[in-house]
């Protein structure tokens, strides 16, 4: 999870981490971060200290009350010894100041994941390649999709759209976000394509099932969750 309110920094982190084959979820404020941290399991958290809502240190303090093992790396512009000690005393595994070199951050991430693996018994290579929501399972390594144990055939674009929705489940994504992430920043076609592909996914994912997983938030965009 990337918790960062600076859109440019967050976007660079997303691109660099995804290029290294990490799955990422980005949130901009402390309250949203804490909700997701408490509802799902995470391999690692990059946590900015100065964020809206709850501060990064308060998010870390509350998270550590429930989870003592998931690695957390603090990101901040403050570089005094007192700030570093305060962050580490709150339960951070590491601390890196802005501006930072991306290669150094990637090395710190690898080290933190190795430390986390020692505590959990999981190697970095055994990180999950599956998304799951209710009875929907997606294997990103084999590109297999099933719901209720039945296979679902998806096109490449449908699969990519589904994965991005699942990676950000319970987060409402607008059409521009989906276009940028799934079709790419250089896409110059009809923006209505998102609506069309959401329709395709609904027919394949939700049709014939008692519980829908894909929801429209009127005037905003789309989200995937277990209840309406």
């Amino acid at each position: 999870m990337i918790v960062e309110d600076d859109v440019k920094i967050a976007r660079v982190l997303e691109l660099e981490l995804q290029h290294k084959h990490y799955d990422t979820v980005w949130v901009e404020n402390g309250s949203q971060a804490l909700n997701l941290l408490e509802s799902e399991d995470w391999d690692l958290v990059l946590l900015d200290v100065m964020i809206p809502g709850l501060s990064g240190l308060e998010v870390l303090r509350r998270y550590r009350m429930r989870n003592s093992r998931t690695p957390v790396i603090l990101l901040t512009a403050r570089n005094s010894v007192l700030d570093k000690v305060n962050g580490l005393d709150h339960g951070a595994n590491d601390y890196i100041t802005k501006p930072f070199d991306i290669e150094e951050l990637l090395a710190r991430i690898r080290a933190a994941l190795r430390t986390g693996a020692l505590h959990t018994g999981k190697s970095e290579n055994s990180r999950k390649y599956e998304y799951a929501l209710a009875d929907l399972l997606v294997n990103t390594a084999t590109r297999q999709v099933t719901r209720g144990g039945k296979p679902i055939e998806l096109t490449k674009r449908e699969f990519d759209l589904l994965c991005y929705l699942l990676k950000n489940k319970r987060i409402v994504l607008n059409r521009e976000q989906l276009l940028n992430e799934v079709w790419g920043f250089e896409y110059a076609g009809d923006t209505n394509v998102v609506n069309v592909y959401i329709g395709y996914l609904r027919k394949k994912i939700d049709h014939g099932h008692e519980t829908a997983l894909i929801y429209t938030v009127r005037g905003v965009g789309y989200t995937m969750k277990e209840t309406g």
Side-chain angles (χ1 to χ4, degrees), residues 118-141:
L118 291 175
H119 289 298
T120 61
K122 295 189 297 182
S123 69
E124 187 174 347
N125 290 332
S126 68
R127 289 185 303 119
K128 294 178 181 177
Y129 284 93
E130 287 192 350
Y131 295 119
L133 182 63
D135 57 347
L136 175 68
L137 294 175
V138 176
N139 188 309
T140 59

Side-chain angles (χ1 to χ4, degrees), residues 152 197-209 214:
I152 299 172
Y197 272 81
I198 289 289
Y200 293 159
L201 281 182
R202 279 198 169 114
K203 289 179 181 178
K204 295 183 177 183
I205 301 298
D206 286 343
H207 182 70
H209 293 272
I214 303 172

Side-chain angles (χ1 to χ4, degrees), residues 49 57 60 74 78 80-92 95:
V49 173
L57 290 181
L60 178 58
L74 291 179
R78 297 179 175 181
S80 72
V81 172
L82 181 60
D83 287 324
K84 294 178 182 179
V85 169
N86 195 25
L88 294 171
D89 282 346
H90 273 73
Y95 193 111

Side-chain angles (χ1 to χ4, degrees), residues 11 18 143 155-168 173-187 193-194 197-198 201:
R11 184 57 183 151
Q18 289 170 8
R143 301 183 75 86
T155 65
K156 180 183 183 303
R157 191 74 73 186
E158 290 168 350
F159 183 86
D160 291 344
L161 177 58
L162 176 63
C163 285
Y164 191 70
L165 287 166
L166 285 172
K167 184 166 66 174
N168 296 279
L173 302 167
N174 61 43
R175 291 170 182 80
E176 184 179 38
Q177 285 176 289
L178 293 170
L179 273 176
N180 289 340
E181 296 296 337
V182 180
W183 278 264
F185 283 101
E186 296 180 356
Y187 177 77
V193 70
V194 173
Y197 272 81
I198 289 289
L201 281 182

